[in-house]
Each structure stands twice: as C-alpha cells, then as structure tokens.
Amino acid sequence: MIENLKESLKKINIQADWIGLRKVSENTKKVLIRNEKLDTHQSVKNCGIMVEVMVDGHFACSASQDLSQKGIEISAKKAVELAKKSLPHKLYNFTEKQRPQAVGRYPLSQKIDSQSYTEIYSRLIEATKKMKSSSHHIIAAFASTAITESTTEFVSTNGSELKQEKCLIGLDQMVSAEKNGILQHRSNGKKVVQGSFDIFNKNDIYKDSERLANEVLELLDAENCPTNTRDILIMPDQLYLQIHESIGHPLELDRILGDERNYAGWSFVKPDDIGKLKYGSSLLNISFDPHVEGEIASYHFDDTGAFAQKKHLIKDGILVAGIGGLESQARINKPGVAASRATSWNRAPIDRMANINMEAGESTMQQMIENTEKGLLVCTNKSWSIDDFRNKFQFGCEYAKIIKDGQITKTVRNPNYKGSSLNFWRSLKMVGASNTSEAWGSFYCGKGEPNQTIAVGHKTPPALFSDVEVFGGA
Amino acid sequence: MYLKKQFSDFGAKVLNELENSEHISLSLVAEQTTYTRYSQSKIRQTTFVDQAQINISLIINGRNLDAKINFDGENQALNIKNFLDILKEAKEKSKQLPVSNTVVLPLKPAESIQEKHSGQSLSKDIHNDILALVKNEDFVGMLVSGSFTNGFMNSAGASHWFESNSFYLDYSIYSKEQKAVKSCYAGNKWNQDEYKENISKSLSSLNKLSLPTQKIKPGKYKTYLAPAAVQELIQMMSWGALSARSYKLGFCGLKKVYDGEVKLSEKFSLKEDFKTGFSPRFNSFGEVAPQQVPLIEKGILKSFLVSTLTAKEHTNLKTNFANSSEHLRSPVVSKGTIEDKDILKQIGTGLYVSNFHYLNWSDMSYGRITGMTRFACFWVEDAKIKGPINNLRFDETLFNIFGKNLIGLTKKTEIIPKIMSYERRHIGAIVVPGILVDNFSYNL
C-alpha cells in the first residue's frame, strides 16, 4: 500500500538531496497451446523496490526484492555510496526539476478472474483445432496468451505520490504448413491491448483461425515475391513496426545524445534537426499519445513523475519534438515528452517510446488501391533489421498481394522490402482514413545498458508509399 | 556460498508439500550486480541490483506447469508462502488445462555439479582507472561486476550449484567523424596493464578510422569477418537453426543442411564445450550435458541441440541434454590456419568487417540472414587498408558463409563474453575465430 511506502521513505536515514522509492508488483500468466495440447504454462510473480537518490546533481539507483525497512535502508545506503563514487565523473548536474512532484492515480479498468481463464484456454484449444484440422499440409497450429497485471507505486521526498495499475494482454495465433518442400507460416501478428478482454472474443478468434489456415495454404502455392521497385501499400500489422524502427527509435533523445551508442546505436537525427527536419511528406503526422484507451502503452505519469500528455512529434512532415523525458530534455535543451520509463523495479528509467501513433489521413483502402498502377500490398511483419543510425532498413512480411492497374490480384510469398528512413517517409503518398486505423504494439521493445524491454504501442492506418525496392525469398 | 543453505532448506520444505504423484524441479538464479553506464567518457547512470528468483517446474496430472517467484534469503517464511500459492494455483490449472504434449519426469543424474569461480571485487578507484586512459576520447559503454549464482534441485534428488564472480567492461570509442571501434575487457580480476593494452589496441584501430571514407556500392566482395562478427552469426544459429524442436515444427535455418540438400564447408566445425567453464554444465532440467557436444563436424550437421522433452516427443531423436529452449550455451567454433599477420594479405581486395548489427532471418528456410556492418569496418585494397566504409547491409545465406564461400578461418580464436542483461545478467561466453568469405553479398 502506498501509505506504507510513504512511511518507509520517512524512516530512511541517509544524506541525499532527493530520494525516490519505486515499488513494482507484477503477476504474469502465459500459456501456449500447440495442436490442442499444452506446450507451456507459466505463472510469474515479481515484486521489488528501486531506491533512487540524487546527490550533488547525480542520480544513482539500488534495487532489491527486500521490501522490509531494513532492506530499503540497505538499498538507500548503497545508492548513496554509488552516487558519491560517481561524482568526480558525473555527466550532468541534474536538479529536482528532473523529478517533479507528481500526485495521481491510473487505476485498473478490468480485472481477470480464474473462471475467465478456463474459457480463454478452451478458446485457444479450439483455435488450434480449427487451424490444424483444415488441411493435412498443416504441420503445427499454435495459440497463446500472456496477461500481466502490474502495480507501480512511487513516492519521493519532494512529495510525489503515484499509483498506476495496468493489465497488459497479448494474443498470438500461428499456423505452419508444408508442401513439396516449401514451408510457410501465417500468424495474427501478435495482438496486444491494455485493460480489455474483448481480444478473446470467440468469434474473432475462430474467424482468424479460419483465415490464417486459408492464407497459409495460399502461400504454399503462391509465387515468390518479384524483385523490382514498385509502390507498396503497407497494412497496420506491418506499418506499426516500420514506425517503431524508423521513427520511434531515431527520435529517442538519449540516442540523439549518444548514450546508446555502445549497444542500441545512435540516430541520424541531430539536436538541431528538431523544429526543422523534413522527416516525411506533408501527409506524415506522428504523435506521442499516452491517453488512448486500450492502447498498450497508455499511462498518466512516467517513472520520473512527469505528467504524460499528447504531443506531436512530426507535424505535416516536419520534426517538432523528440521522445525523451526530463533528464534528456535538460541535457539537450529541446522539447520532449513524458517518456522516461523502466521495465520494472530492477532497472533505472531511460527514454522509451510509449504510444507512438500515425495520425489518420483521408483515403479509403479502395482509393489507395485504385491509385496504384504497379504495387504490392503487404501484411504482418515476419522479420526486421535496421542499422545503428536507424537509417538503412529491411523488413520481411508474411503475406502479400500484387496490385496491378488499380486492382488486387494474386498472392505472393516471402515479400521483403528495403530502404532508407528519410527517403522512405518522404515517399509517403496516401494515408488511410480513421476507420482504417488499428492499434498494434509489442511487449518486447529492447534497449538500454543494462538491457531492458518495455511495452510500446503504435496505432496506425494503412499507408501507400511510392517506388520502394521489394524482393522475394531465395 | 551465497544462498546455498537457504536454497537447500527451501527445497527440503517444498518437497514435503507435494503428493506422491507430483514432481518438481527448482532452479535458483541470483545476482548482486553493479552496472555503471558511461557516455562521453563520464558516468551517465549507476544501478545496483540484488535479486534472486526461483524457477519452479511442476508436473501435476500429466501437465507441465511452470512458475517463477522471488527468493528472499532472509525470509524463508515468505518464500514458502509464495510457493504454496503457486502450488495451489498449479493444482487448479491442472484441472483447467489440457495435458501437455510431452512430460519428462525429473531424474537424478550420475553427476552432481558443484562449481565455484572466484573473483576479486573492483577497487574503489575503478572509475578513475578506467576513465583516466580515455579522458580525451569519446568513450561510451558499461562496466558490469558482481556475483552470479545458479542452483538446482529436483524431487528425484538431483543437486547442482554454479557460482561465479566476474566483471566485463564493454565499450566503444568514437571519432569526431562518428566512426567507432568496439571492444570488451573481461575477467575475474582487474589488471590495469591488461586494460591499458586493450585500450591501446582500440585507439590504434581508431586512428585508421580517420582515413578517408570509402564509398562502396552494394555487391559481392571477399570479406574478412572478425571474431565479434562471427559470434553474431553463431548466435543467430541459436535462434532456430540448431534446435531440434524448431526443425520438427518447420522453423529451422539449417534444415537443408540436415536434410542433405546443402553442404557446409569441411573447414567449419561447431560444438558445445563446457570445459571452458563459462556456463554451468547442468541444464534447466538438472541434466548434465557431456563435456563436449559436437553439433557440426567438418561441415556435417551431426546433431541438433536436442532437449529431453523434444526427444521424448520425437522418438527418432536422442537427447544431448540441451536446455528446454535448445539455445547454444557454451559454443566453440574450431580454429583454422590463417595467421593474424596475414589477414590483410588474404583479403587482397575486399572488406574487413569488425562487427555486425541487428541480424535477422530474411528467409529462414534458405538459411538467409540480413544485417548491417558496424564499428571499425574497412575497405582493403591490395592488402592495405584504404579507409573506413559507410555501413553496408548484407543479405547472405549461412550455406554460403560457412559453406562453398568459406575460404578459411584464423588460427587464433577469441573468447567473447555474453553481455546480455535482459531481466538479469546473463553469463557465458563464445569462442570463435575470424573467417574469410568469398563473394559475401551486400544489398544496400
């Protein structure tokens, strides 16, 4: 309870300019069903406290599972010891401005009970049965879910008192098939939501099972994707990852500052680009939006206590803000957003994407197809790779259709495409209307030293890009 | 030994709570690690983490039910309470869930592994020692130090223990032209002379990066891949190319090699070798792998990594006691004959690649991988380094790299420690040579 945390904070006996306690409790349940049988079931319970101190402008952290007052005191002393040892070499002189007083709640919208689990399991089993039984070419059918309920409590010596509760839910369905030595897979793209169990709607799951089974069989007989340059109509279940890799990561302020250069990399974006750089065509509008109901990375406060508000990052194609919390904003003296987050109690907060969304345009799917003479419609990410400056990328998808003279035609398999980030976004020529938007995301965006993963969300319509290099499998 | 007695007492109490038909394996993973993050030759962030978790594998009514809970060395009552909550939940789940595809009951292996690798704590002046040598450079990286513990016991009576205390400094140094060299200094005991030599070698490479940048178009080039780049390729094999389970489910990058459709070079051999001592020899089931497990021998894929679970499901396969994930744990690639001093001569004209970045399968069925070159990569002409390159994207198959296009491997191998730290510090290392490959394909 947060009152207990406040009491613990009062009792800490150390010399520091500021102290924060962040307690995180998580309960996760994962189940994987393969061909109607149980592959794995895992239940994870994790709880701990991060004690963060500021001493002479330098932050240091000590994390432990020991929630007793004695344990917290030990962590606090350790954090001060680390801070003092670092002082002669500190990178920046921070102040309490980077840890504002924050008071608020982000309550859980829906809880799951054990009865619900029984029904969920039976739907997953039935989903794999439907997929597996549709053809003898199908070698395996998978359905899985992961549900994490978490509570984060944060108190500080300058009066912060936050409690944020979330329930993150993932649903995967996948089918593998083989015919004449050709192997193909088809999946639902790994759906993720926050706080809603509508994702387990029986009809949706079974409809998807049928669709995925049909499409994987199509892929077995399909030709390889051609190798040439053509327009590409990217569906939301692939475009979200394009946004993630070639907009989200390059705009992280700590990357721009160079903190990630030894691991995740740098960015082609320079500090002076913010406010000026033509990132994409005038149709490109990207926002940081922490208040989208049901989107996986919605929250009220980041892990430094900054209040999260919607903000444009790219407006009409121009870069206007970076993705970075108060520490990075102070260092770089550029606008950012409340995006300093930690994966759990055992990692310090760093600049992370949250919900990074592409604003809808005005085109219908039909209009985008009709406007394409020689194109490719691609669905569902399979593979991703980009360079350490976030420039040269290559993506692979599961399924594609050739567009010819304004019509969808045949299916092709192993569709891949490559390009460079700025050229690509400047080739954006049509954007789907709001009724075509879908919210996707991932539980496992990784960066940082030490490494950490975090949930990120990307809501996007489909969009059409001109003259992209595409190619097929071997 | 840190937490050994507490873990043993916990295990004894837990076994008392089970019914005769119920089985359990317990794996303790604990660390006390300090992470110091450097940027621009200064300290950006410091974090100390003290955590211990128990991975619980229960077998109840033909179902594998796993769990993970925190383990508090000072509060056994809390540990038992958490376990009992898990046990109660597992019994409920065993009624809600279908039977498992396969179940393997715990066994007691003939060997009990008890390993302890001591190390020395870093001095209180370590940041001065590190940064003094790079104060005029743009130095970025992470220092990791502390203890790691892995304990195991099960209801059949197996018991293992692995403990180590070590450090690594993984870093890169950047030039004004935004080019960089990368290196790592690791061990059990810090030696300032060794560190000085490591930095000196990096600064020497950094000087070469100030030569004029060479514009190289996509195409096929003879390429030397330094050990750090080779280890990225071997780690990719760990992601679905060497797993027996992946082969059976249709996700295997080396399927064509196993099926005899494609041949690898007889110069290439890969094995798991636990004699190196970097990783515990016991796996997540408590089984003890042989000291060495040959996987690829002179180009022939002798065996996938086969867990006992997979072997039970597919009776034509024999377990070699791989982990449940069937990932590589202690890989060693055999050395070749190319001397380090002859590398540039052997390249002649082509590319010297120090590191790769962000590898992924571009067509797994054909063993095809894409990724980027990174850090100190050079264009070599007539056996002389002409200058650094702007990074290139490659798209190439394992069948070419370790097959018909493999020219040779270096005589000297390098030990490259694992530096992953998702959720917790990962330990282990890979031993690899550098390799020379013909017609390596770059596409962007």
Side-chain angles (χ1 to χ4, degrees):
Chain A
M1 287 178 53
I2 205 156
E3 293 306 319
N4 294 343
L5 206 59
K6 280 162 70 177
E7 280 308 304
S8 293
L9 179 64
K10 278 188 200 147
K11 291 175 185 168
I12 293 176
N13 182 18
I14 55 168
Q15 293 286 326
D17 301 315
W18 175 92
I19 307 169
L21 302 185
R22 179 164 46 87
K23 179 183 169 189
V24 182
S25 308
E26 292 163 332
N27 273 326
T28 300
K29 303 229 191 301
K30 296 181 187 177
V31 67
L32 171 61
I33 303 290
R34 172 167 58 99
N35 301 341
E36 299 179 67
K37 290 190 180 170
L38 177 66
D39 226 33
T40 52
H41 178 275
Q42 191 189 42
S43 180
V44 180
K45 292 186 195 308
N46 187 16
C47 184
I49 285 187
M50 167 74 76
V51 179
E52 192 180 33
V53 302
M54 185 177 69
V55 176
D56 286 349
H58 184 74
F59 288 111
C61 306
S62 179
S64 167
Q65 296 155 199
D66 188 345
L67 307 181
S68 68
Q69 189 63 38
K70 182 182 166 199
I72 293 172
E73 195 73 38
I74 291 172
S75 287
K77 287 185 163 78
K78 184 70 182 178
V80 169
E81 177 198 316
L82 291 176
K84 285 183 173 168
K85 217 165 130 179
S86 305
L87 282 178
H89 310 284
K90 71 181 181 191
L91 178 62
Y92 190 83
N93 195 42
F94 293 111
T95 69
E96 258 187 35
K97 284 184 186 168
Q98 282 77 56
R99 294 292 184 274
Q101 186 199 60
V103 177
R105 295 282 185 271
Y106 183 77
L108 199 60
S109 52
Q110 209 174 342
K111 264 189 96 58
I112 189 163
D113 58 42
S114 60
Q115 282 285 74
S116 307
Y117 278 112
T118 312
E119 187 53 40
I120 289 169
Y121 300 150
S122 77
R123 291 177 193 182
L124 297 181
I125 294 162
E126 185 63 24
T128 63
K129 184 178 175 185
K130 284 183 184 306
M131 288 189 280
K132 184 83 171 65
S133 61
S134 56
S135 164
H136 65 278
H137 292 297
I138 299 211
I139 53 179
F142 303 84
S144 67
T145 184
I147 300 172
T148 299
E149 292 176 301
S150 69
T151 301
T152 303
E153 294 166 298
F154 177 70
V155 297
S156 71
T157 45
N158 59 340
S160 283
E161 186 183 319
L162 295 173
K163 184 172 178 177
Q164 304 199 83
E165 297 169 282
K166 294 183 198 172
C167 180
L168 303 186
I169 304 150
L171 171 66
D172 296 357
Q173 287 169 259
M174 185 166 69
V175 63
S176 303
E178 182 182 7
K179 185 177 172 186
N180 300 331
I182 294 190
L183 275 160
Q184 287 290 308
H185 314 285
R186 191 74 184 97
S187 77
N188 72 343
K190 297 184 193 310
K191 294 183 176 177
V192 292
V193 293
Q194 183 178 165
S196 166
F197 297 99
D198 293 348
I199 198 175
F200 296 116
N201 177 284
K202 191 159 57 169
N203 291 336
D204 291 343
I205 291 178
Y206 298 160
K207 210 166 121 189
D208 263 351
S209 293
E210 206 179 293
R211 176 178 65 84
L212 297 179
N214 289 340
E215 287 179 356
V216 80
L217 296 173
E218 261 182 73
L219 289 171
L220 291 178
D221 291 326
E223 290 168 19
N224 228 336
C225 177
T227 297
N228 48 40
T229 300
R230 52 179 62 226
D231 288 358
I232 184 167
L233 175 52
I234 306 179
M235 298 307 286
D237 61 353
Q238 161 57 28
L239 190 55
Y240 88 91
L241 198 60
Q242 178 79 56
I243 292 165
H244 179 93
E245 298 291 356
S246 65
I247 293 180
H249 275 307
L251 296 191
E252 288 163 345
L253 293 182
D254 61 351
R255 283 187 78 112
I256 295 171
L257 283 162
D259 292 352
E260 288 284 326
R261 286 174 297 165
N262 187 53
Y263 176 61
W266 212 340
S267 174
F268 63 84
V269 174
K270 303 281 171 287
D272 286 344
D273 287 338
I274 298 173
K276 287 188 220 151
L277 176 65
K278 181 174 153 63
Y279 208 102
S281 80
S282 58
L283 295 174
L284 181 64
N285 289 283
I286 300 284
S287 60
F288 164 90
D289 193 348
H291 299 304
V292 179
E293 193 182 329
E295 199 170 345
I296 194 172
S298 292
Y299 54 84
H300 283 174
F301 298 89
D302 77 5
D303 288 326
T304 64
F307 178 65
Q309 300 179 88
K310 181 176 178 176
K311 192 167 188 172
H312 265 92
L313 302 172
I314 298 173
K315 186 101 179 69
D316 303 326
I318 304 296
L319 176 62
V320 295
I323 302 170
L326 295 171
E327 288 179 35
S328 293
Q329 290 170 41
R331 287 168 62 197
I332 205 172
N333 196 25
K334 292 284 180 186
V337 291
S340 191
R341 302 197 291 148
T343 184
S344 187
W345 56 271
N346 60 359
R347 293 288 183 265
I350 55 175
D351 293 339
R352 301 313 301 262
M353 285 181 253
N355 293 332
I356 306 299
N357 299 340
M358 185 158 158
E359 301 287 319
E362 290 171 7
S363 303
T364 64
M365 272 296 292
Q366 193 56 33
Q367 283 169 337
M368 288 190 280
I369 292 165
E370 283 170 2
N371 264 276
T372 303
E373 202 177 299
K374 178 183 168 190
L376 189 71
L377 182 152
V378 295
C379 304
T380 319
N381 178 264
K382 188 163 84 174
S383 164
W384 61 101
S385 175
I386 192 164
D387 73 23
D388 58 319
F389 278 81
R390 293 283 145 179
N391 200 13
K392 293 183 185 176
F393 60 78
Q394 178 167 311
F395 288 95
C397 298
E398 289 182 4
Y399 183 89
K401 292 276 202 196
I402 298 285
I403 305 174
K404 189 171 183 229
D405 298 327
Q407 308 260 359
I408 298 267
T409 64
K410 60 185 177 183
T411 302
V412 290
R413 67 170 193 264
N414 303 326
N416 293 280
Y417 70 95
K418 58 187 160 119
S420 298
S421 293
L422 288 182
N423 287 346
F424 178 80
W425 287 109
R426 290 169 185 172
S427 78
L428 174 65
K429 65 183 200 182
M430 292 179 86
V431 178
S434 56
N435 63 346
T436 63
S437 282
E438 295 172 9
W440 290 87
S442 171
F443 285 145
Y444 304 116
C445 173
K447 70 178 263 199
E449 288 186 299
N451 307 144
Q452 41 179 314
T453 57
I454 208 140
V456 295
H458 304 292
K459 185 174 178 182
T460 177
L464 182 65
F465 299 81
S466 52
D467 299 328
V468 178
E469 287 182 64
V470 305
F471 57 100
Chain B
M1 290 187 184
Y2 175 59
L3 294 179
K4 194 169 194 209
K5 183 169 185 321
Q6 295 95 318
F7 179 56
S8 179
D9 290 347
F10 173 78
K13 289 186 168 66
V14 151
L15 289 177
N16 275 339
E17 299 295 335
L18 300 181
E19 294 178 24
N20 287 341
S21 59
E22 294 167 350
H23 308 271
I24 195 167
S25 297
L26 300 168
S27 170
L28 168 75
V29 179
E31 66 174 298
Q32 289 181 315
T33 309
T34 305
Y35 299 95
T36 302
R37 200 172 180 191
Y38 302 103
S39 188
Q40 299 167 48
S41 303
K42 294 202 186 298
I43 295 177
R44 167 68 187 97
Q45 257 175 349
T46 336
T47 309
F48 174 73
V49 180
D50 183 357
Q51 63 180 352
Q53 283 156 334
I54 301 239
N55 294 300
I56 299 168
S57 293
L58 283 156
I59 299 176
I60 299 177
N61 294 333
R63 280 100 173 143
N64 290 314
L65 298 158
D66 296 340
K68 192 156 49 171
I69 57 173
N70 290 352
F71 186 73
D72 187 339
E74 307 282 319
N75 195 340
Q76 197 69 285
L78 178 63
N79 298 331
I80 297 299
K81 181 199 171 298
N82 285 338
F83 171 74
L84 291 175
D85 289 343
I86 289 293
L87 183 61
K88 184 177 168 207
E89 184 189 292
K91 288 181 199 263
E92 280 167 15
K93 294 293 177 197
S94 73
K95 294 171 189 142
Q96 296 171 338
L97 288 161
V99 291
S100 290
N101 275 292
T102 335
V103 162
V104 172
L105 297 182
L107 288 178
K108 183 178 177 181
E111 259 183 289
S112 170
I113 303 292
Q114 305 290 324
E115 274 187 71
K116 183 171 173 170
H117 302 272
S118 300
Q120 214 173 59
S121 299
L122 300 176
S123 96
K124 57 180 175 51
D125 296 322
I126 189 63
H127 300 314
N128 294 339
D129 293 343
I130 289 172
L131 295 174
L133 298 187
V134 292
K135 63 173 186 251
N136 297 322
E137 310 296 338
D138 187 358
F139 174 89
V140 58
M142 187 169 67
L143 174 68
V144 178
S145 64
S147 66
F148 175 87
T149 300
N150 186 191
F152 181 91
M153 56 193 306
N154 68 18
S155 45
S159 169
H160 305 296
W161 193 260
F162 178 95
E163 199 172 314
S164 71
N165 196 321
S166 63
F167 71 88
Y168 65 82
L169 173 66
D170 186 66
Y171 70 89
S172 30
I173 304 179
Y174 276 76
S175 70
K176 288 185 175 55
E177 296 82 21
Q178 296 189 345
K179 302 227 181 274
V181 295
K182 186 165 172 64
S183 187
C184 185
Y185 172 50
N188 297 94
K189 187 176 164 190
W190 185 272
N191 182 306
Q192 188 67 4
D193 289 333
E194 283 175 5
Y195 169 61
K196 201 171 172 184
E197 196 190 319
N198 188 293
I199 289 288
S200 182
K201 212 169 140 190
S202 295
L203 291 176
S204 168
S205 289
L206 193 68
N207 278 339
K208 296 191 186 83
L209 288 170
S210 62
L211 291 168
T213 301
Q214 306 295 302
K215 285 189 170 55
I216 308 298
K217 288 187 187 156
K220 291 181 193 281
Y221 301 102
K222 189 189 279 188
T223 300
Y224 170 74
L225 302 178
V230 176
Q231 70 93 16
E232 291 276 355
L233 293 169
I234 304 299
Q235 299 297 7
M236 271 306 291
M237 288 191 191
S238 215
W239 192 12
L242 286 168
S243 156
R245 181 187 142 100
S246 293
Y247 172 79
K248 289 293 185 185
L249 293 175
F251 293 92
C252 181
L254 289 176
K255 181 180 187 304
K256 289 191 182 299
V257 176
Y258 191 74
D259 292 345
E261 289 176 47
V262 169
K263 279 194 175 144
L264 297 180
S265 166
E266 51 178 57
K267 296 184 179 114
F268 178 60
S269 297
L270 167 69
K271 63 185 173 191
E272 288 268 61
D273 189 343
F274 294 96
K275 287 210 311 284
T276 58
F278 299 129
S279 299
R281 197 149 63 96
F282 56 91
N283 66 13
S284 47
F285 303 106
E287 298 159 332
V288 179
Q291 290 277 11
Q292 296 185 339
V293 181
L295 299 169
I296 299 172
E297 266 184 345
K298 296 189 179 172
I300 308 284
L301 180 49
K302 292 274 186 200
S303 175
F304 287 115
L305 289 160
V306 188
S307 72
T308 304
L309 259 181
T310 301
K312 190 151 182 213
E313 188 174 342
H314 304 281
T315 49
N316 62 327
L317 294 175
K318 194 174 162 207
T319 183
N320 49 26
F321 306 109
N323 245 346
S324 55
S325 61
E326 294 178 349
H327 286 155
L328 289 164
R329 288 186 283 153
S330 194
V332 173
V333 175
S334 296
K335 59 188 178 187
T337 56
I338 299 175
E339 299 275 357
D340 275 6
K341 62 180 174 56
D342 294 331
I343 287 170
L344 292 181
K345 196 166 86 179
Q346 291 274 339
I347 297 172
T349 296
L351 284 160
Y352 180 111
V353 170
S354 63
N355 299 78
F356 279 144
H357 175 69
Y358 222 143
L359 272 53
N360 207 327
W361 295 105
S362 57
D363 190 350
M364 195 186 235
S365 310
Y366 285 85
R368 219 168 92 198
I369 296 173
T370 185
M372 293 294 302
T373 62
R374 193 178 175 189
F375 294 115
C377 301
F378 299 97
W379 178 248
V380 177
E381 229 167 77
D382 301 324
K384 285 191 173 53
I385 287 180
K386 205 105 203 269
I389 60 167
N390 286 326
N391 283 321
L392 290 166
R393 171 166 293 285
F394 75 87
D395 197 287
E396 187 50 274
T397 72
L398 292 174
F399 311 149
N400 286 340
I401 298 168
F402 294 107
K404 62 184 175 70
N405 291 349
L406 180 63
I407 299 170
L409 305 95
T410 57
K411 206 165 164 180
K412 196 170 145 206
T413 55
E414 255 181 54
I415 301 170
I416 300 179
K418 248 188 212 171
I419 55 161
M420 282 275 167
S421 48
Y422 285 104
E423 292 185 16
R424 58 166 177 84
R425 183 178 172 187
H426 296 239
I427 56 150
I430 181 172
V431 181
V432 280
I435 66 174
L436 187 64
V437 183
D438 208 2
N439 286 325
F440 196 91
S441 181
Y442 300 90
N443 67 343
L444 186 65

